[in-house]
Amino acid sequence: MASGRLLRQLIKSGVEGDARTFKLLSEEVIREEREKQHHLLASDLEQILYGTSAPADEGTRQLRSLIPTDKERGVQLVAVRQPTRTLEHIVLSGPDREAVESLLLEHRRGGVLRSFGLKPIDRLLLIGPPGCGKTLAAEVIASELNRHLAVVRLDSVVSSYLGETAANLRKVFDFIAGQPLVALFDEFDAIGKERGLGDEHGELKRVVNAVLQMLDEYRGRSLIVAATNHEVMLDSAIWRRFEDVLEFDPPTVDQVAEFMHLKLRAVRREFDIDEIQIAKRFAGYSFAGIERVVRQAVKAMVLGGREFLRVDDLEVAQQRDRFRSYK
């Protein structure tokens, strides 16, 4: 079993309601059990920790009661949840990590900035191909700032009714302005597309104009994070509305190795991740693609009743993954 020190800290964090510390200590307990080769117990603990949804606390329930809805369909325009992953759960390039840490510092010391007539960044644009960490970065920022993550549901915001999309956006902006959230607009190009494109009809152009106006007027309490895989499609005026832009690229060989260390830290292995050939095996993959293959390989190890993950497990998982149109 876990050490007395660890158990005392674990129970203390649970009693005090410190969800972040409780999760980190729980992961440490799982790692200790893995190291002792108590894999069945470790797997059961992982299922308890990750396999079920934690009940929403009172703050989350209150926020959810305020979420705006689409007038015609009655569907919610925002999904609010408590973030769980922190900076230690994400692999970033040097410049991106510096930018994220700088943003966090600005918000943690916002009072100091305001005393000099300044304010923390409140509009951040994330660009790059799918699966390279944009959505995770928004969650990490929310977690580090101890805020809820509000994901704007663009499939609900964009309405077939003339003028309703802009009205929905106004509801969303009013909601996030009144709450200290991290508000994620994923697939932002859906409402920020270049107005000069010949195939766009008048209603979508009016939506882009509305977005620009709302960004200009925004003085709310939330940090707005917009993410897109198609930055070339964004209207040129959109870029000027964001105070900082982070570009996420496909992982380098070193980042692949760092990411695999992160994902396999509790798994016993027959190979050394730092061997260059292991990292090169995932050349061209996104972080999401690597995680998908690694998860499948670990499942094969567990279901096969083996104690150690083999390179063969990775090879078989990659082979099964080869039919995906993207990595």
Side-chain angles (χ1 to χ4, degrees):
M1 290 295 293
S3 67
R5 173 196 62 81
L6 189 54
L7 287 174
R8 281 193 294 273
Q9 291 177 338
L10 181 67
I11 293 172
K12 182 174 182 290
S13 64
V15 171
E16 294 176 349
D18 187 346
R20 178 181 173 186
T21 301
F22 182 83
K23 184 172 184 293
L24 292 174
L25 291 170
S26 297
E27 290 174 339
E28 188 174 341
V29 170
I30 292 169
R31 283 196 297 274
E32 283 193 5
E33 297 308 314
R34 288 282 185 205
E35 290 171 358
K36 296 172 184 176
Q37 301 188 30
H38 298 165
H39 296 298
L40 184 58
L41 173 59
S43 297
D44 286 343
L45 293 174
E46 285 177 341
Q47 179 63 31
I48 294 170
L49 185 62
Y50 302 116
T52 58
S53 298
D57 60 20
E58 184 60 29
T60 304
R61 286 193 291 269
Q62 289 179 356
L63 274 174
R64 289 175 178 169
S65 70
L66 301 173
I67 292 175
T69 59
D70 175 80
K71 177 181 177 181
E72 300 295 335
R73 295 166 290 172
V75 295
Q76 292 188 326
L77 303 177
V78 179
V80 173
R81 61 185 174 88
Q82 295 170 293
T84 58
R85 291 178 288 186
T86 64
L87 271 173
E88 69 168 12
H89 295 101
I90 190 171
V91 175
L92 295 168
S93 67
D96 282 349
R97 180 167 290 275
E98 289 176 7
V100 169
E101 290 177 346
S102 176
L103 180 146
L104 295 175
L105 179 62
E106 287 191 21
H107 280 268
R108 288 166 178 160
R109 305 199 64 196
V112 175
L113 290 178
R114 293 185 184 92
S115 70
F116 285 87
L118 303 169
K119 65 181 183 66
I121 289 173
D122 62 6
R123 281 161 291 179
L124 176 67
L125 179 61
L126 310 180
I127 64 175
C132 289
K134 300 186 297 298
T135 303
L136 175 56
E139 179 182 349
V140 165
I141 290 170
S143 180
E144 291 289 338
L145 294 178
N146 197 27
R147 297 187 182 191
H148 286 83
L149 178 66
V151 181
V152 180
R153 303 172 64 175
L154 291 182
D155 59 332
S156 301
V157 169
V158 178
S159 173
S160 60
Y161 293 93
L162 187 66
E164 192 63 26
T165 298
N168 283 343
L169 282 168
R170 173 53 64 192
K171 293 178 186 177
V172 169
F173 271 84
D174 288 346
F175 171 69
I176 65 177
Q179 322 296 330
L181 308 166
V182 171
L184 173 62
F185 289 76
D186 206 358
E187 300 181 1
F188 189 65
D189 48 279
I191 56 172
K193 193 172 293 186
E194 173 63 56
R195 289 165 291 179
L197 293 177
D199 60 343
E200 298 302 337
H201 56 72
E203 173 63 9
L204 284 180
K205 292 178 182 178
R206 285 190 289 273
V207 168
V208 177
N209 287 331
V211 170
L212 291 171
Q213 181 181 357
M214 291 175 200
L215 287 173
D216 280 339
E217 296 173 351
Y218 182 72
R219 301 293 185 274
R221 300 172 66 192
S222 292
L223 166 62
I224 294 176
V225 180
T228 178
N229 305 330
H230 306 288
E231 62 272 17
V232 296
M233 297 176 64
L234 290 179
D235 191 275
S236 57
I238 289 285
W239 293 82
R240 297 195 296 273
R241 268 65 180 186
F242 288 89
E243 298 162 283
D244 203 357
V245 179
L246 272 64
E247 183 172 5
F248 289 74
D249 295 316
T252 63
V253 171
D254 288 341
Q255 288 173 329
V256 168
E258 182 181 353
F259 187 72
M260 291 186 70
H261 272 292
L262 180 65
K263 293 300 172 183
L264 294 174
R265 61 187 177 184
V267 178
R268 294 163 66 86
R269 305 178 299 273
E270 290 183 350
F271 56 87
D272 182 359
I273 290 175
D274 293 322
E275 291 179 5
I276 198 69
Q277 294 303 320
I278 299 296
K280 283 186 174 179
R281 192 177 294 275
F282 288 94
Y285 275 70
S286 66
F287 287 123
I290 297 168
E291 182 171 9
R292 189 174 60 243
V293 171
V294 167
R295 186 186 302 116
Q296 188 58 47
V298 173
K299 284 181 180 180
M301 178 197 75
V302 172
L303 295 176
R306 289 180 279 105
E307 294 284 341
F308 294 86
L309 185 68
R310 304 180 309 210
V311 174
D312 290 351
D313 295 317
L314 294 175
E315 292 175 344
V316 171
Q318 278 188 295
Q319 185 68 13
R320 290 181 59 183
D321 200 63
R322 71 189 187 283
F323 294 113
R324 287 185 177 264
S325 59
Y326 64 91
K327 296 179 179 180

